[in-house]
PDB file of all heavy atoms in Angstrom:
ATOM      1  N   ILE K  36    -129.784  62.152  53.255  1.00 92.00           N
ATOM      2  CA  ILE K  36    -130.373  60.898  52.764  1.00 92.00           C
ATOM      3  C   ILE K  36    -130.656  60.992  51.272  1.00 92.00           C
ATOM      4  O   ILE K  36    -130.411  60.047  50.505  1.00 92.00           O
ATOM      5  CB  ILE K  36    -131.656  60.566  53.545  1.00 92.00           C
ATOM      6  CG1 ILE K  36    -131.341  60.311  55.023  1.00 92.00           C
ATOM      7  CG2 ILE K  36    -132.359  59.356  52.934  1.00 92.00           C
ATOM      8  CD1 ILE K  36    -130.401  59.160  55.272  1.00 92.00           C
ATOM      9  N   HIS K  54    -143.272  56.127  60.394  1.00 80.00           N
ATOM     10  CA  HIS K  54    -142.098  55.293  60.647  1.00 80.00           C
ATOM     11  C   HIS K  54    -141.340  55.102  59.355  1.00 80.00           C
ATOM     12  O   HIS K  54    -141.924  55.030  58.273  1.00 80.00           O
ATOM     13  CB  HIS K  54    -142.503  53.932  61.216  1.00 80.00           C
ATOM     14  CG  HIS K  54    -141.338  53.059  61.565  1.00 80.00           C
ATOM     15  ND1 HIS K  54    -140.613  53.232  62.716  1.00 80.00           N
ATOM     16  CD2 HIS K  54    -140.770  52.016  60.910  1.00 80.00           C
ATOM     17  CE1 HIS K  54    -139.642  52.330  62.758  1.00 80.00           C
ATOM     18  NE2 HIS K  54    -139.726  51.581  61.671  1.00 80.00           N
ATOM     19  N   GLY K  61    -131.594  49.321  51.001  1.00 92.00           N
ATOM     20  CA  GLY K  61    -131.263  49.959  52.271  1.00 92.00           C
ATOM     21  C   GLY K  61    -130.674  48.991  53.268  1.00 92.00           C
ATOM     22  O   GLY K  61    -129.763  49.341  54.040  1.00 92.00           O
ATOM     23  N   LEU K 109    -116.084  63.795  88.094  1.00 95.00           N
ATOM     24  CA  LEU K 109    -115.507  62.732  87.285  1.00 95.00           C
ATOM     25  C   LEU K 109    -115.026  63.283  85.937  1.00 95.00           C
ATOM     26  O   LEU K 109    -113.914  62.998  85.481  1.00 95.00           O
ATOM     27  CB  LEU K 109    -116.575  61.657  87.089  1.00 95.00           C
ATOM     28  CG  LEU K 109    -116.211  60.324  86.443  1.00 95.00           C
ATOM     29  CD1 LEU K 109    -117.241  59.264  86.870  1.00 95.00           C
ATOM     30  CD2 LEU K 109    -116.199  60.419  84.932  1.00 95.00           C
ATOM     31  N   ARG K 112    -111.883  65.817  86.199  1.00 95.00           N
ATOM     32  CA  ARG K 112    -110.581  65.166  86.334  1.00 95.00           C
ATOM     33  C   ARG K 112    -110.162  64.466  85.045  1.00 95.00           C
ATOM     34  O   ARG K 112    -108.974  64.419  84.719  1.00 95.00           O
ATOM     35  CB  ARG K 112    -110.622  64.184  87.508  1.00 95.00           C
ATOM     36  CG  ARG K 112    -110.787  64.895  88.845  1.00 95.00           C
ATOM     37  CD  ARG K 112    -110.737  63.953  90.009  1.00 95.00           C
ATOM     38  NE  ARG K 112    -110.847  64.677  91.272  1.00 95.00           N
ATOM     39  CZ  ARG K 112    -110.903  64.100  92.461  1.00 95.00           C
ATOM     40  NH1 ARG K 112    -110.851  62.789  92.568  1.00 95.00           N
ATOM     41  NH2 ARG K 112    -111.003  64.834  93.553  1.00 95.00           N
ATOM     42  N   PRO K 118    -107.457  66.781  77.604  1.00 91.00           N
ATOM     43  CA  PRO K 118    -108.210  67.980  77.228  1.00 91.00           C
ATOM     44  C   PRO K 118    -108.807  67.930  75.825  1.00 91.00           C
ATOM     45  O   PRO K 118    -109.745  68.692  75.532  1.00 91.00           O
ATOM     46  CB  PRO K 118    -107.164  69.102  77.344  1.00 91.00           C
ATOM     47  CG  PRO K 118    -105.833  68.412  77.260  1.00 91.00           C
ATOM     48  CD  PRO K 118    -106.034  67.070  77.874  1.00 91.00           C
ATOM     49  N   GLN K 130    -132.823  52.967  82.899  1.00 90.00           N
ATOM     50  CA  GLN K 130    -133.343  52.004  81.927  1.00 90.00           C
ATOM     51  C   GLN K 130    -133.140  52.510  80.504  1.00 90.00           C
ATOM     52  O   GLN K 130    -132.728  51.767  79.613  1.00 90.00           O
ATOM     53  CB  GLN K 130    -134.823  51.745  82.207  1.00 90.00           C
ATOM     54  CG  GLN K 130    -135.426  50.599  81.428  1.00 90.00           C
ATOM     55  CD  GLN K 130    -136.869  50.371  81.832  1.00 90.00           C
ATOM     56  OE1 GLN K 130    -137.772  51.093  81.424  1.00 90.00           O
ATOM     57  NE2 GLN K 130    -137.089  49.363  82.661  1.00 90.00           N
ATOM     58  N   ARG K 135    -129.970  52.510  75.300  1.00 91.00           N
ATOM     59  CA  ARG K 135    -129.234  53.263  74.274  1.00 91.00           C
ATOM     60  C   ARG K 135    -127.801  52.748  74.129  1.00 91.00           C
ATOM     61  O   ARG K 135    -127.237  52.795  73.041  1.00 91.00           O
ATOM     62  CB  ARG K 135    -129.242  54.749  74.599  1.00 91.00           C
ATOM     63  CG  ARG K 135    -130.644  55.370  74.555  1.00 91.00           C
ATOM     64  CD  ARG K 135    -130.604  56.883  74.592  1.00 91.00           C
ATOM     65  NE  ARG K 135    -130.067  57.415  73.348  1.00 91.00           N
ATOM     66  CZ  ARG K 135    -129.898  58.712  73.128  1.00 91.00           C
ATOM     67  NH1 ARG K 135    -130.218  59.594  74.059  1.00 91.00           N
ATOM     68  NH2 ARG K 135    -129.407  59.142  71.975  1.00 91.00           N
ATOM     69  N   GLU K 164    -126.192  54.657  99.476  1.00 94.00           N
ATOM     70  CA  GLU K 164    -127.335  54.251 100.306  1.00 94.00           C
ATOM     71  C   GLU K 164    -128.593  55.022  99.933  1.00 94.00           C
ATOM     72  O   GLU K 164    -128.560  56.224  99.648  1.00 94.00           O
ATOM     73  CB  GLU K 164    -127.030  54.468 101.787  1.00 94.00           C
ATOM     74  CG  GLU K 164    -128.141  53.919 102.681  1.00 94.00           C
ATOM     75  CD  GLU K 164    -127.803  53.933 104.170  1.00 94.00           C
ATOM     76  OE1 GLU K 164    -126.795  54.569 104.537  1.00 94.00           O
ATOM     77  OE2 GLU K 164    -128.546  53.298 104.945  1.00 94.00           O
ATOM     78  N   GLU K 216    -149.664  48.889  94.608  1.00 92.00           N
ATOM     79  CA  GLU K 216    -151.055  49.369  94.638  1.00 92.00           C
ATOM     80  C   GLU K 216    -151.534  49.653  96.064  1.00 92.00           C
ATOM     81  O   GLU K 216    -152.537  50.343  96.258  1.00 92.00           O
ATOM     82  CB  GLU K 216    -151.983  48.348  93.964  1.00 92.00           C
ATOM     83  CG  GLU K 216    -152.152  47.028  94.710  1.00 92.00           C
ATOM     84  CD  GLU K 216    -150.971  46.069  94.519  1.00 92.00           C
ATOM     85  OE1 GLU K 216    -150.071  46.391  93.711  1.00 92.00           O
ATOM     86  OE2 GLU K 216    -150.971  45.006  95.179  1.00 92.00           O
ATOM     87  N   VAL K 220    -149.652  56.614  96.820  1.00 96.00           N
ATOM     88  CA  VAL K 220    -148.820  57.348  95.872  1.00 96.00           C
ATOM     89  C   VAL K 220    -149.442  58.714  95.591  1.00 96.00           C
ATOM     90  O   VAL K 220    -150.547  58.814  95.055  1.00 96.00           O
ATOM     91  CB  VAL K 220    -148.633  56.565  94.561  1.00 96.00           C
ATOM     92  CG1 VAL K 220    -147.816  57.377  93.566  1.00 96.00           C
ATOM     93  CG2 VAL K 220    -147.956  55.222  94.836  1.00 96.00           C
TER      94      VAL K 220
END
Side-chain angles (χ1 to χ4, degrees):
I36 296 299
H54 183 79
L109 188 157
R112 294 184 178 176
Q130 190 177 78
R135 295 192 70 181
E164 186 172 12
E216 68 281 354
V220 177

